[in-house]
Amino acid sequence: MSIQDSTPPERGDFIREIVAADLRDGRHEQVVTRFPPEPNGYLHIGHAKSIALNFGIAQEFGGRCHLRFDDTNPTKEEQEYVDSIQADVRWLGFDWGEHLYFASDYFEQLHEWAVCLIQAGKAYVDDLSADEIREHRGTFTEPGRDSPWRDRPVEESLDLFGRMRSGEFPDGARVLRAKIDMAAPNINLRDPALYRILHAAHPRTGNKWCIYPMYDFAHGQSDAIEGVTHSICTLEFEDHRPLYDWLIENLPVPSRPRQIEFARLNFTYTVLSKRFLLRLVEERHVRGWDDPRMPTIAGLRRRGFPAEGIRDLVDMVGVGKANSVVEVEMLEHAVRGVLNRTALRRFAVLRPLKLVIENYPEGQTEEMDAVNNPEDASAGSRKLPFTRELWIEREDFMEDPPKKFFRLAPGREVRLRYAYFVTCNEVVKDAAGEIVELRCTYDPATRGGDAPDGRKPKATLHWISADHAIPAEVRLYDHLFSRPDPGAEGDLFDDLSPDSEEVLEGCLVEPALAEVPLGETVQFERLGYFCPDLDSAPGQLVFNRTLGLRDTWAKVQAQGRRSV
Ligand code: ATP
Ligand code: MG
């Protein structure tokens, strides 16, 4: 065995152990996984876990991962979702190469197999209505009852199934059911439906079909057609595994995939359900699927979260069998970890207050050297223009400061970062008594931010030259929900936070911020991480707050918040 062979994969979890053992024991030559989204909505961060797991395993073990659309329900599925899902998987950093598939490509084969089952006496057409079938199904404690159509002759089922396909019957009139065991303790084995009538055009197959396979009939068989070795899904499918295996065993499929379940990813202050997310969009609680408050991949991207941060989060959480809720602060921590390393530092003033330096020459501009990223010397520096009139953050000044306020106040000296020390001498107010301007003096000997006599102001402020400031709109984002466990005590919609978005107009930013490309997140010094929004245009800048600077994950952990 070479050294490489004996090196365990970087990430160890029970699924990777199974895959490693299967390869070691020669059960498969190559691992094949798949990510199987239903194109009925945008991907969310929960999907990122499944994507990272499926594509990650294929990468680590030298196999391949398919992207397969589970497009078996034409009433809910749209091309927009197919496109967004592909864009999001790519953005997350994964690539399916030539292995892009659609369950609808297998409709003909699936139909053939359904006919095989009928011929073998293992499936029948049932004339009961959906309600009657439900009544016959029984409960967890009571067995189900046989449908009166369960033992109809094979020929009759074949005939009816053919007529279902040719469009003779209305929606819901009949279904094709597997004939397994109405007394099975596992309800999924009580003659589950395999095909239903649905007179609906399909985005890919058009009007060719008016019967569509159920998820359980399509999924495992699609896996088998593609030669998937490990069909990795979330825990809610654990009870479907006996059916998955039954179908594989009873059909002449070309390969035998194995289903393995893992725990879903969930977060505090977050709801991950496409059905609910769709309602948020349709009822206009948000700006769209890619609203920066949405837990969708498109939303997180628009919010300024780097893909690397999302991948790091997935690694931190790991893969297990127990469903749990991850603190959203952990995701934020992972994202800050990446941004702290990579984000360029910039100056922006969200709520501007004018500062005039009375002893600074009018009309003079100095270029101050400002470091782009103290964590990354290769990011270099930029020139910040400094002039007599500046803008500072309104909350960096208090006329009558309490004890612990160390920033600017009358008679007090502070450092303007990369520039000079300034002292406030006078406060100018308007007729309404609102502070509109600070009159200050500067110490020319402190250029660059250090005093020759070694004195050190207690505060360092950011600033922007009034002559060079560029106006911008800044959108401040916070959790979409006001409680960590939305919906726990009532309607989800009542828990939507009224403060999840605050739009600030009249913000001012340094010249370098006029040119931040879409997709890049920067740090506004002392304020947080921000990125240009899709709505941004030259001359009409819009920035989103990605996150504040303070990492609260350690605190949340220490408190052991476990309310959910
Ligand atoms: P939702 O229930 O959130 O609407 P879904 O499970 O219906 O999502 P699919 O398109 O069927 O969405 O999911 C594609 C794959 O992603 C499936 O294998 C599913 O198990 C996985 N997946 C979905 N949600 C999560 C999650 N929260 N954590 C991990 N994997 C997930
Ligand atoms: Mg689903």
Side-chain angles (χ1 to χ4, degrees), residues 35-38 44 46-47 49-50 234 262 264-265 272-274:
F35 173 64
E38 184 183 355
H44 54 60
H47 293 114
K49 178 173 179 180
S50 177
T234 36
F262 70 98
R264 288 177 93 85
L265 181 56
L272 300 181
S273 144
K274 283 185 279 189

Side-chain angles (χ1 to χ4, degrees), residues 29-202:
E29 270 173 25
Q30 193 192 32
V31 60
V32 181
T33 56
R34 86 287 170 266
F35 173 64
E38 184 183 355
N40 61 348
Y42 278 57
L43 295 182
H44 54 60
I45 181 146
H47 293 114
K49 178 173 179 180
S50 177
I51 292 168
L53 184 58
N54 280 294
F55 282 94
I57 285 179
Q59 258 166 29
E60 290 154 37
F61 291 94
R64 61 174 205 260
C65 180
H66 299 179
L67 175 61
R68 180 173 73 235
F69 288 97
D70 232 320
D71 55 347
T72 52
N73 183 358
T75 59
K76 299 231 171 91
E77 296 161 5
E78 288 174 26
Q79 188 60 37
E80 178 192 351
Y81 301 140
V82 170
D83 296 339
S84 73
I85 287 169
Q86 295 190 46
D88 290 348
V89 174
R90 282 220 181 82
W91 179 77
L92 279 171
F94 300 101
D95 185 7
W96 53 91
E98 57 192 339
H99 299 285
L100 174 66
Y101 303 107
F102 292 82
S104 56
D105 290 343
Y106 312 137
F107 280 172
E108 203 65 59
Q109 173 69 81
L110 292 171
H111 177 266
E112 221 173 88
W113 282 336
V115 170
C116 285
L117 276 186
I118 302 174
Q119 284 167 336
K122 291 174 182 165
Y124 61 98
V125 171
D126 196 343
D127 300 357
L128 293 185
S129 69
D131 282 344
E132 288 166 326
I133 289 179
R134 206 169 305 123
E135 263 169 50
H136 279 71
R137 194 180 295 133
T139 63
F140 284 112
T141 50
E142 280 168 60
R145 283 176 295 127
D146 286 2
S147 161
W149 308 104
R150 191 172 201 265
D151 291 317
R152 78 186 341 159
V154 165
E155 288 312 318
E156 199 175 299
S157 280
L158 282 175
D159 173 61
L160 286 169
F161 191 50
R163 288 158 63 193
M164 280 167 65
R165 180 183 184 173
S166 61
E168 204 172 301
F169 310 119
D171 289 1
R174 292 185 162 82
V175 287
L176 181 72
R177 297 178 73 178
K179 196 182 211 174
I180 308 181
D181 179 4
M182 287 307 290
N186 183 336
I187 291 179
N188 292 298
L189 293 179
R190 295 183 188 169
D191 292 9
L194 304 179
Y195 264 91
R196 57 177 167 160
I197 303 172
L198 204 58
H199 291 269
H202 186 283

Side-chain angles (χ1 to χ4, degrees), residues 521-556:
T521 303
V522 298
Q523 185 188 106
F524 289 179
E525 289 207 30
R526 302 179 61 231
L527 297 174
Y529 295 102
F530 293 78
C531 69
D533 186 73
L534 293 174
D535 293 342
S536 202
Q540 276 191 313
L541 300 182
V542 181
F543 287 93
N544 297 327
R545 181 170 66 194
T546 307
L547 288 172
L549 291 176
R550 212 161 60 92
D551 193 322
T552 49
W553 185 44
K555 197 172 134 208
V556 167

Side-chain angles (χ1 to χ4, degrees), residues 152-406:
R152 78 186 341 159
V154 165
E155 288 312 318
E156 199 175 299
S157 280
L158 282 175
D159 173 61
L160 286 169
F161 191 50
R163 288 158 63 193
M164 280 167 65
R165 180 183 184 173
S166 61
E168 204 172 301
F169 310 119
D171 289 1
R174 292 185 162 82
V175 287
L176 181 72
R177 297 178 73 178
K179 196 182 211 174
I180 308 181
D181 179 4
M182 287 307 290
N186 183 336
I187 291 179
N188 292 298
L189 293 179
R190 295 183 188 169
D191 292 9
L194 304 179
Y195 264 91
R196 57 177 167 160
I197 303 172
L198 204 58
H199 291 269
H202 186 283
R204 289 178 62 84
T205 58
N207 290 309
K208 183 161 184 221
W209 296 90
C210 61
I211 54 171
Y212 290 96
M214 304 299 290
Y215 170 87
D216 283 316
F217 191 66
H219 196 85
Q221 283 48 257
S222 301
D223 287 340
I225 291 170
E226 292 175 15
V228 167
T229 54
H230 299 82
S231 179
I232 302 166
C233 62
T234 36
L235 280 181
E236 71 271 20
F237 293 104
E238 197 167 21
D239 290 341
H240 294 240
R241 186 169 5 110
L243 175 56
Y244 185 102
D245 291 340
W246 186 91
L247 288 165
I248 294 290
E249 269 158 39
N250 285 283
L251 289 169
V253 290
S255 79
R256 304 189 125 248
R258 167 176 179 187
Q259 177 179 307
I260 307 169
E261 309 87 14
F262 70 98
R264 288 177 93 85
L265 181 56
N266 288 296
F267 289 99
T268 52
Y269 294 99
T270 308
V271 173
L272 300 181
S273 144
K274 283 185 279 189
R275 224 170 30 157
F276 173 75
L277 298 177
L278 177 64
R279 274 191 67 192
L280 284 180
V281 173
E282 284 180 344
E283 296 173 22
R284 297 179 179 271
H285 295 282
V286 293
R287 294 172 184 265
W289 280 101
D290 64 351
D291 184 291
R293 290 162 292 178
M294 290 282 270
T296 52
I297 303 299
L300 298 173
R301 175 169 63 231
R302 185 168 175 185
R303 173 85 171 253
F305 281 32
E308 186 186 352
I310 297 173
R311 292 196 302 266
D312 287 352
L313 177 277
V314 169
D315 280 346
M316 282 163 77
V317 172
V319 180
K321 270 272 186 195
N323 275 323
S324 66
V325 180
V326 174
E327 272 107 12
V328 75
E329 290 84 355
M330 185 170 167
L331 168 63
E332 296 170 358
H333 171 80
V335 166
R336 281 193 188 92
V338 174
L339 292 179
N340 183 44
R341 255 191 300 115
T342 58
L344 297 177
R345 273 53 169 179
R346 295 290 181 253
F347 280 1
V349 173
L350 300 188
R351 298 171 183 88
L353 173 61
K354 179 69 78 63
L355 185 155
V356 179
I357 306 172
E358 294 183 300
N359 60 339
Y360 193 85
E362 272 188 63
Q364 174 172 308
T365 303
E366 280 181 88
E367 302 258 283
M368 300 304 189
D369 240 332
V371 173
N372 279 332
N373 183 355
E375 304 289 321
D376 176 10
S378 73
S381 64
R382 67 195 186 281
K383 300 285 182 202
L384 271 176
F386 185 88
T387 51
R388 184 172 192 266
E389 296 200 3
L390 308 171
W391 294 105
I392 64 165
E393 207 67 64
R394 188 163 279 273
E395 62 183 42
D396 279 338
F397 177 81
M398 280 185 94
E399 191 173 16
D400 192 9
K403 247 198 173 131
K404 291 211 167 141
F405 185 88
F406 299 116

